[in-house]
Amino acid sequence: MKYISFTDEPTIAPDEFFMNEALKEAQKALALDEVPIGAVIVHSGRIIGRGHNLTEQLKDVTAHAEMQAFTAAANYTGGKYLKDCTLYVTIEPCVMCAGASYWTQISRIVYGADDPQRGFSQIKQRITHPKTEVISGIKANEAAQLVKDFFLSKRNKS
């Protein structure tokens, strides 16, 4: 599926479009001096939940971008299940967030860059819901660069 363009601009695939929205959320985290990870949840082509890391602001280790987006989407739908939704997140979800996605029964997870240290794919057994489709690599370079630059700036300050 492509979006119709009424200008000379090229059309953009939905996964790329919504990953750009997740990257905007990551920029919000960066502006707060948080690890720049952002997430959006989409249902029927519409964003119903947004989130970015707030672990430092809230002093809460569970305040990851995905968790913020899950809460926002659940508030929007009025229920805890997100069966016909897609989570777009800039970096591969950690084990906690992937586990939470299991309980939401989300249909798809689309993430940008892999997280070889803390990503859920490091675990040998599947922890996402059996019906959840997982797609990686969408806007991976942009997502990874944000995080790399963030940690590089932290190291340079010390």
Side-chain angles (χ1 to χ4, degrees):
M1 177 166 104
K2 298 274 185 188
Y3 286 100
I4 298 171
S5 175
F6 295 102
T7 67
D8 291 332
E9 295 177 23
T11 57
I12 185 169
D15 284 348
E16 291 179 10
F17 176 85
F18 290 117
M19 188 59 74
N20 282 335
E21 292 299 309
L23 285 164
K24 289 177 187 176
E25 290 297 315
Q27 288 291 341
K28 291 177 186 178
L30 182 62
L32 295 170
D33 202 30
E34 296 272 358
V35 177
I37 298 174
V40 296
I41 295 178
V42 175
H43 179 265
S44 296
R46 181 177 182 172
I47 295 173
I48 63 167
R50 292 178 176 272
H52 52 273
N53 272 1
L54 289 171
T55 58
E56 299 300 326
Q57 297 294 305
L58 299 178
K59 310 243 183 303
D60 178 356
V61 296
T62 68
H64 291 194
E66 301 94 324
M67 302 301 265
Q68 303 301 312
F70 289 146
T71 299
N75 286 334
Y76 178 86
T77 64
K80 61 185 179 181
Y81 298 117
L82 304 172
K83 290 182 181 181
D84 295 320
C85 297
T86 300
L87 166 67
Y88 292 90
V89 60
T90 56
I91 302 294
E92 178 184 355
C94 70
V95 174
M96 174 185 69
C97 294
S101 79
Y102 177 95
W103 296 108
T104 70
Q105 299 179 16
I106 201 152
S107 296
R108 294 175 73 225
I109 297 173
V110 178
Y111 68 86
D114 292 332
D115 185 346
Q117 292 181 333
R118 293 179 185 87
F120 76 93
S121 65
Q122 302 309 303
I123 295 178
K124 299 299 180 213
Q125 75 183 72
R126 183 179 175 119
I127 60 173
T128 56
H129 194 275
K131 293 182 180 177
T132 299
E133 176 187 15
V134 178
I135 297 166
S136 63
I138 306 296
K139 302 282 212 177
N141 292 337
E142 295 92 325
Q145 196 62 52
L146 264 176
V147 173
K148 285 178 191 172
D149 290 348
F150 174 79
F151 285 113
L152 183 61
S153 74
K154 291 290 184 191
R155 282 192 289 277
N156 289 340
K157 286 181 183 177
S158 5

